Amino acid sequence: MASAANTNMNAVRETMDVLLEISRLLNTGLDMESLSICVRLCEQGINPEALSSVIKELRRATDSLKASENSTS
């Protein structure tokens, strides 16, 4: 039983490594933790396109805030 759990854990780790490499090739800017959260959300039924839109909007808002902070400093 422990062997099956180890095999499953290794498969999950390998899958996440491949997804992270694809993410890097596509220049998504997602780290392993962020990518894991996105995968879990998709597994729970969140629409991937909607998730992508939210991430893009959050990045735009963050960039806008940083820009406004830099211009007031």
Side-chain angles (χ1 to χ4, degrees):
M1 182 102 173
S3 177
N6 285 339
T7 301
N8 186 38
M9 207 48 181
N10 287 338
V12 169
R13 191 172 294 119
E14 184 176 329
T15 299
M16 286 307 299
D17 287 343
V18 169
L19 287 174
L20 183 61
E21 184 61 28
I22 292 169
S23 174
R24 287 182 180 148
L25 290 171
L26 295 173
N27 296 318
T28 64
L30 296 173
D31 59 13
M32 181 61 93
E33 182 181 6
S34 300
L35 184 61
S36 296
I37 291 168
C38 290
V39 168
R40 278 184 266 151
L41 287 170
C42 291
E43 287 174 343
Q44 292 177 11
I46 299 296
N47 181 323
E49 290 180 37
L51 181 58
S52 172
S53 295
V54 169
I55 291 169
K56 288 177 187 175
E57 185 59 34
L58 288 171
R59 285 186 177 163
R60 275 189 227 113
T62 301
D63 291 343
S64 176
L65 286 172
K66 286 179 183 177
S68 67
E69 286 177 2
N70 288 338
S71 66
T72 59
S73 302

